[in-house]
Amino acid sequence: MLLDKGLVLMSDTRTNSGVDNISVFRKMHVWSVPDERIISIMTAGNLATTQGVISQIEERAKAHNERHNSLLEAETMFQVATAVGKILRDTIATSSEQNGEDASAAFRASMIVAGQIKGGQPRLFMIYPEGNFIEASFDTPFFQIGETKYGRPIIIRGYDRDMSFEDAVKLLMVSFDSTIKANLSVGLPLDLLVIETGTFVPTHQRRIAADDPYYRAVSAGWSEALKNAFHALPDYSFFEGEDKAG
């Protein structure tokens, strides 16, 4: 989510290959160079694809003293998005070639790239499996990947570009809580990252587990508020506009 003050990011950690094969994997990855840049990537889709992309970014196949992170060398966030898009496209293409043409859909993944490099503004991109991407603006101020249909209406109604970081976190928690209750493919814990413009380090970062007191309070409060709002609506009548004596 893009705000006047910076960026607020949240991801869940559930991956699944069916209802009886559910695991927890981090979907948010963060790199920071104090006073110079902070970059985060969030992932959705095939786990092997997304882990392969992150590994290539960090070049984990090399010896430790030979590794370098390509994102830390880019001059702009646009270059970062371009590099991530190319790696994602190539990773999917390689997996598809190795497993046959019909396998391409199974290896699909998408990503959100967010951050700021000194000299530029905070920027937010959504990367498609084909490697192309779009950038957020204050006309389109937030992106979602993965399961979106349950939580999106809440963000649309609650978002305000000048809202506080705290209100933005609360809004995202409500959005995720609604999605978690409706879809088994999304689950706790949640990872949260807040980036204030011009700081180049995480302003606030934490993992939110199922027993988190604030999350539980938000979840219970939202459920109760929905019930109260429902009962406050005008009652429907079977006889409205009819002659009850007839």
PDB file of all heavy atoms in Angstrom, residues 135-156:
ATOM      1  N   GLU A 135       3.055  -0.101 -12.222  1.00  0.00           N
ATOM      2  CA  GLU A 135       3.471   0.645 -11.033  1.00  0.00           C
ATOM      3  C   GLU A 135       2.269   1.299 -10.373  1.00  0.00           C
ATOM      4  O   GLU A 135       1.374   1.813 -11.047  1.00  0.00           O
ATOM      5  CB  GLU A 135       4.506   1.703 -11.400  1.00  0.00           C
ATOM      6  CG  GLU A 135       5.001   2.491 -10.185  1.00  0.00           C
ATOM      7  CD  GLU A 135       6.129   3.452 -10.508  1.00  0.00           C
ATOM      8  OE1 GLU A 135       6.488   3.565 -11.706  1.00  0.00           O
ATOM      9  OE2 GLU A 135       6.641   4.095  -9.569  1.00  0.00           O
ATOM     10  N   ALA A 136       2.267   1.279  -9.048  1.00  0.00           N
ATOM     11  CA  ALA A 136       1.203   1.928  -8.294  1.00  0.00           C
ATOM     12  C   ALA A 136       1.331   3.442  -8.381  1.00  0.00           C
ATOM     13  O   ALA A 136       2.424   3.983  -8.534  1.00  0.00           O
ATOM     14  CB  ALA A 136       1.250   1.490  -6.829  1.00  0.00           C
ATOM     15  N   SER A 137       0.191   4.105  -8.291  1.00  0.00           N
ATOM     16  CA  SER A 137       0.134   5.553  -8.208  1.00  0.00           C
ATOM     17  C   SER A 137      -0.978   5.882  -7.225  1.00  0.00           C
ATOM     18  O   SER A 137      -1.623   4.971  -6.674  1.00  0.00           O
ATOM     19  CB  SER A 137      -0.172   6.161  -9.579  1.00  0.00           C
ATOM     20  OG  SER A 137      -1.493   5.807  -9.983  1.00  0.00           O
ATOM     21  N   PHE A 138      -1.241   7.152  -6.997  1.00  0.00           N
ATOM     22  CA  PHE A 138      -2.320   7.480  -6.080  1.00  0.00           C
ATOM     23  C   PHE A 138      -3.688   7.336  -6.746  1.00  0.00           C
ATOM     24  O   PHE A 138      -4.707   7.516  -6.091  1.00  0.00           O
ATOM     25  CB  PHE A 138      -2.117   8.875  -5.493  1.00  0.00           C
ATOM     26  CG  PHE A 138      -1.079   8.869  -4.406  1.00  0.00           C
ATOM     27  CD1 PHE A 138       0.112   9.542  -4.569  1.00  0.00           C
ATOM     28  CD2 PHE A 138      -1.275   8.168  -3.234  1.00  0.00           C
ATOM     29  CE1 PHE A 138       1.073   9.529  -3.573  1.00  0.00           C
ATOM     30  CE2 PHE A 138      -0.322   8.133  -2.242  1.00  0.00           C
ATOM     31  CZ  PHE A 138       0.862   8.824  -2.400  1.00  0.00           C
ATOM     32  N   ASP A 139      -3.727   6.988  -8.030  1.00  0.00           N
ATOM     33  CA  ASP A 139      -4.964   6.548  -8.658  1.00  0.00           C
ATOM     34  C   ASP A 139      -5.182   5.053  -8.417  1.00  0.00           C
ATOM     35  O   ASP A 139      -6.319   4.593  -8.301  1.00  0.00           O
ATOM     36  CB  ASP A 139      -4.934   6.829 -10.164  1.00  0.00           C
ATOM     37  CG  ASP A 139      -4.979   8.309 -10.479  1.00  0.00           C
ATOM     38  OD1 ASP A 139      -5.688   9.050  -9.768  1.00  0.00           O
ATOM     39  OD2 ASP A 139      -4.292   8.740 -11.424  1.00  0.00           O
ATOM     40  N   THR A 140      -4.097   4.310  -8.392  1.00  0.00           N
ATOM     41  CA  THR A 140      -4.127   2.878  -8.056  1.00  0.00           C
ATOM     42  C   THR A 140      -3.091   2.663  -6.962  1.00  0.00           C
ATOM     43  O   THR A 140      -1.941   2.305  -7.241  1.00  0.00           O
ATOM     44  CB  THR A 140      -3.791   2.018  -9.290  1.00  0.00           C
ATOM     45  OG1 THR A 140      -4.671   2.383 -10.367  1.00  0.00           O
ATOM     46  CG2 THR A 140      -3.955   0.536  -8.983  1.00  0.00           C
ATOM     47  N   PRO A 141      -3.453   2.883  -5.694  1.00  0.00           N
ATOM     48  CA  PRO A 141      -2.455   3.018  -4.633  1.00  0.00           C
ATOM     49  C   PRO A 141      -2.050   1.727  -3.927  1.00  0.00           C
ATOM     50  O   PRO A 141      -1.207   1.759  -3.035  1.00  0.00           O
ATOM     51  CB  PRO A 141      -3.151   3.960  -3.644  1.00  0.00           C
ATOM     52  CG  PRO A 141      -4.600   3.621  -3.796  1.00  0.00           C
ATOM     53  CD  PRO A 141      -4.800   3.271  -5.242  1.00  0.00           C
ATOM     54  N   PHE A 142      -2.643   0.599  -4.302  1.00  0.00           N
ATOM     55  CA  PHE A 142      -2.249  -0.641  -3.634  1.00  0.00           C
ATOM     56  C   PHE A 142      -2.355  -1.802  -4.606  1.00  0.00           C
ATOM     57  O   PHE A 142      -3.104  -1.758  -5.583  1.00  0.00           O
ATOM     58  CB  PHE A 142      -3.118  -0.896  -2.394  1.00  0.00           C
ATOM     59  CG  PHE A 142      -4.572  -1.160  -2.703  1.00  0.00           C
ATOM     60  CD1 PHE A 142      -5.030  -2.442  -2.958  1.00  0.00           C
ATOM     61  CD2 PHE A 142      -5.483  -0.118  -2.743  1.00  0.00           C
ATOM     62  CE1 PHE A 142      -6.362  -2.686  -3.247  1.00  0.00           C
ATOM     63  CE2 PHE A 142      -6.824  -0.348  -3.026  1.00  0.00           C
ATOM     64  CZ  PHE A 142      -7.256  -1.638  -3.282  1.00  0.00           C
ATOM     65  N   PHE A 143      -1.573  -2.841  -4.326  1.00  0.00           N
ATOM     66  CA  PHE A 143      -1.595  -4.057  -5.122  1.00  0.00           C
ATOM     67  C   PHE A 143      -1.830  -5.259  -4.215  1.00  0.00           C
ATOM     68  O   PHE A 143      -1.399  -5.267  -3.044  1.00  0.00           O
ATOM     69  CB  PHE A 143      -0.272  -4.263  -5.861  1.00  0.00           C
ATOM     70  CG  PHE A 143      -0.043  -3.298  -6.990  1.00  0.00           C
ATOM     71  CD1 PHE A 143       1.203  -2.725  -7.180  1.00  0.00           C
ATOM     72  CD2 PHE A 143      -1.060  -2.972  -7.876  1.00  0.00           C
ATOM     73  CE1 PHE A 143       1.431  -1.837  -8.219  1.00  0.00           C
ATOM     74  CE2 PHE A 143      -0.843  -2.096  -8.924  1.00  0.00           C
ATOM     75  CZ  PHE A 143       0.408  -1.525  -9.095  1.00  0.00           C
ATOM     76  N   GLN A 144      -2.490  -6.264  -4.753  1.00  0.00           N
ATOM     77  CA  GLN A 144      -2.663  -7.552  -4.082  1.00  0.00           C
ATOM     78  C   GLN A 144      -2.318  -8.661  -5.070  1.00  0.00           C
ATOM     79  O   GLN A 144      -2.629  -8.551  -6.261  1.00  0.00           O
ATOM     80  CB  GLN A 144      -4.108  -7.745  -3.615  1.00  0.00           C
ATOM     81  CG  GLN A 144      -4.562  -6.790  -2.518  1.00  0.00           C
ATOM     82  CD  GLN A 144      -6.048  -6.947  -2.248  1.00  0.00           C
ATOM     83  OE1 GLN A 144      -6.864  -6.401  -2.973  1.00  0.00           O
ATOM     84  NE2 GLN A 144      -6.379  -7.696  -1.213  1.00  0.00           N
ATOM     85  N   ILE A 145      -1.687  -9.702  -4.581  1.00  0.00           N
ATOM     86  CA  ILE A 145      -1.431 -10.884  -5.390  1.00  0.00           C
ATOM     87  C   ILE A 145      -1.894 -12.100  -4.603  1.00  0.00           C
ATOM     88  O   ILE A 145      -2.057 -12.038  -3.386  1.00  0.00           O
ATOM     89  CB  ILE A 145       0.059 -11.018  -5.777  1.00  0.00           C
ATOM     90  CG1 ILE A 145       0.964 -10.937  -4.538  1.00  0.00           C
ATOM     91  CG2 ILE A 145       0.448  -9.947  -6.785  1.00  0.00           C
ATOM     92  CD1 ILE A 145       2.439 -11.148  -4.836  1.00  0.00           C
ATOM     93  N   GLY A 146      -2.091 -13.206  -5.300  1.00  0.00           N
ATOM     94  CA  GLY A 146      -2.631 -14.382  -4.635  1.00  0.00           C
ATOM     95  C   GLY A 146      -4.148 -14.262  -4.538  1.00  0.00           C
ATOM     96  O   GLY A 146      -4.822 -13.863  -5.483  1.00  0.00           O
ATOM     97  N   GLU A 147      -4.705 -14.586  -3.386  1.00  0.00           N
ATOM     98  CA  GLU A 147      -6.145 -14.511  -3.162  1.00  0.00           C
ATOM     99  C   GLU A 147      -6.538 -13.065  -2.855  1.00  0.00           C
ATOM    100  O   GLU A 147      -6.123 -12.514  -1.845  1.00  0.00           O
ATOM    101  CB  GLU A 147      -6.551 -15.424  -2.000  1.00  0.00           C
ATOM    102  CG  GLU A 147      -8.024 -15.396  -1.673  1.00  0.00           C
ATOM    103  CD  GLU A 147      -8.892 -15.651  -2.899  1.00  0.00           C
ATOM    104  OE1 GLU A 147      -8.900 -16.804  -3.375  1.00  0.00           O
ATOM    105  OE2 GLU A 147      -9.530 -14.692  -3.377  1.00  0.00           O
ATOM    106  N   THR A 148      -7.329 -12.440  -3.715  1.00  0.00           N
ATOM    107  CA  THR A 148      -7.607 -11.009  -3.572  1.00  0.00           C
ATOM    108  C   THR A 148      -9.078 -10.666  -3.357  1.00  0.00           C
ATOM    109  O   THR A 148      -9.385  -9.611  -2.806  1.00  0.00           O
ATOM    110  CB  THR A 148      -7.141 -10.243  -4.825  1.00  0.00           C
ATOM    111  OG1 THR A 148      -7.898 -10.692  -5.962  1.00  0.00           O
ATOM    112  CG2 THR A 148      -5.660 -10.484  -5.084  1.00  0.00           C
ATOM    113  N   LYS A 149      -9.990 -11.533  -3.773  1.00  0.00           N
ATOM    114  CA  LYS A 149     -11.382 -11.088  -3.881  1.00  0.00           C
ATOM    115  C   LYS A 149     -12.053 -10.818  -2.544  1.00  0.00           C
ATOM    116  O   LYS A 149     -12.966  -9.994  -2.463  1.00  0.00           O
ATOM    117  CB  LYS A 149     -12.204 -12.098  -4.672  1.00  0.00           C
ATOM    118  CG  LYS A 149     -12.228 -13.520  -4.129  1.00  0.00           C
ATOM    119  CD  LYS A 149     -13.044 -14.407  -5.053  1.00  0.00           C
ATOM    120  CE  LYS A 149     -13.001 -15.868  -4.631  1.00  0.00           C
ATOM    121  NZ  LYS A 149     -11.665 -16.460  -4.867  1.00  0.00           N
ATOM    122  N   TYR A 150     -11.622 -11.460  -1.460  1.00  0.00           N
ATOM    123  CA  TYR A 150     -12.301 -11.260  -0.177  1.00  0.00           C
ATOM    124  C   TYR A 150     -11.831  -9.997   0.546  1.00  0.00           C
ATOM    125  O   TYR A 150     -12.614  -9.325   1.206  1.00  0.00           O
ATOM    126  CB  TYR A 150     -12.092 -12.484   0.726  1.00  0.00           C
ATOM    127  CG  TYR A 150     -12.587 -13.765   0.113  1.00  0.00           C
ATOM    128  CD1 TYR A 150     -11.695 -14.704  -0.402  1.00  0.00           C
ATOM    129  CD2 TYR A 150     -13.950 -14.034   0.017  1.00  0.00           C
ATOM    130  CE1 TYR A 150     -12.146 -15.879  -0.976  1.00  0.00           C
ATOM    131  CE2 TYR A 150     -14.414 -15.202  -0.558  1.00  0.00           C
ATOM    132  CZ  TYR A 150     -13.507 -16.118  -1.052  1.00  0.00           C
ATOM    133  OH  TYR A 150     -13.955 -17.283  -1.631  1.00  0.00           O
ATOM    134  N   GLY A 151     -10.560  -9.685   0.445  1.00  0.00           N
ATOM    135  CA  GLY A 151     -10.023  -8.558   1.192  1.00  0.00           C
ATOM    136  C   GLY A 151     -10.005  -7.249   0.433  1.00  0.00           C
ATOM    137  O   GLY A 151      -9.917  -6.177   1.056  1.00  0.00           O
ATOM    138  N   ARG A 152     -10.108  -7.293  -0.874  1.00  0.00           N
ATOM    139  CA  ARG A 152      -9.983  -6.073  -1.681  1.00  0.00           C
ATOM    140  C   ARG A 152     -11.075  -5.038  -1.395  1.00  0.00           C
ATOM    141  O   ARG A 152     -10.777  -3.845  -1.272  1.00  0.00           O
ATOM    142  CB  ARG A 152      -9.971  -6.448  -3.161  1.00  0.00           C
ATOM    143  CG  ARG A 152      -9.795  -5.247  -4.095  1.00  0.00           C
ATOM    144  CD  ARG A 152      -9.740  -5.678  -5.550  1.00  0.00           C
ATOM    145  NE  ARG A 152      -9.605  -4.545  -6.444  1.00  0.00           N
ATOM    146  CZ  ARG A 152      -8.464  -3.946  -6.725  1.00  0.00           C
ATOM    147  NH1 ARG A 152      -7.344  -4.386  -6.171  1.00  0.00           N
ATOM    148  NH2 ARG A 152      -8.425  -2.917  -7.536  1.00  0.00           N
ATOM    149  N   PRO A 153     -12.355  -5.439  -1.298  1.00  0.00           N
ATOM    150  CA  PRO A 153     -13.393  -4.430  -1.049  1.00  0.00           C
ATOM    151  C   PRO A 153     -13.166  -3.633   0.237  1.00  0.00           C
ATOM    152  O   PRO A 153     -13.507  -2.449   0.305  1.00  0.00           O
ATOM    153  CB  PRO A 153     -14.680  -5.262  -0.970  1.00  0.00           C
ATOM    154  CG  PRO A 153     -14.382  -6.498  -1.749  1.00  0.00           C
ATOM    155  CD  PRO A 153     -12.934  -6.780  -1.478  1.00  0.00           C
ATOM    156  N   ILE A 154     -12.578  -4.263   1.240  1.00  0.00           N
ATOM    157  CA  ILE A 154     -12.326  -3.576   2.500  1.00  0.00           C
ATOM    158  C   ILE A 154     -11.277  -2.488   2.309  1.00  0.00           C
ATOM    159  O   ILE A 154     -11.421  -1.363   2.808  1.00  0.00           O
ATOM    160  CB  ILE A 154     -11.873  -4.594   3.556  1.00  0.00           C
ATOM    161  CG1 ILE A 154     -13.025  -5.542   3.878  1.00  0.00           C
ATOM    162  CG2 ILE A 154     -11.381  -3.896   4.830  1.00  0.00           C
ATOM    163  CD1 ILE A 154     -12.625  -6.746   4.682  1.00  0.00           C
ATOM    164  N   ILE A 155     -10.218  -2.801   1.572  1.00  0.00           N
ATOM    165  CA  ILE A 155      -9.165  -1.805   1.339  1.00  0.00           C
ATOM    166  C   ILE A 155      -9.701  -0.653   0.492  1.00  0.00           C
ATOM    167  O   ILE A 155      -9.418   0.524   0.764  1.00  0.00           O
ATOM    168  CB  ILE A 155      -7.945  -2.453   0.662  1.00  0.00           C
ATOM    169  CG1 ILE A 155      -7.374  -3.559   1.551  1.00  0.00           C
ATOM    170  CG2 ILE A 155      -6.878  -1.404   0.377  1.00  0.00           C
ATOM    171  CD1 ILE A 155      -6.193  -4.283   0.953  1.00  0.00           C
ATOM    172  N   ILE A 156     -10.496  -0.975  -0.529  1.00  0.00           N
ATOM    173  CA  ILE A 156     -11.048   0.073  -1.383  1.00  0.00           C
ATOM    174  C   ILE A 156     -11.865   1.062  -0.569  1.00  0.00           C
ATOM    175  O   ILE A 156     -11.778   2.284  -0.756  1.00  0.00           O
ATOM    176  CB  ILE A 156     -11.898  -0.550  -2.509  1.00  0.00           C
ATOM    177  CG1 ILE A 156     -10.995  -1.292  -3.511  1.00  0.00           C
ATOM    178  CG2 ILE A 156     -12.727   0.513  -3.230  1.00  0.00           C
ATOM    179  CD1 ILE A 156     -11.757  -2.050  -4.564  1.00  0.00           C
TER     180      ILE A 156
END
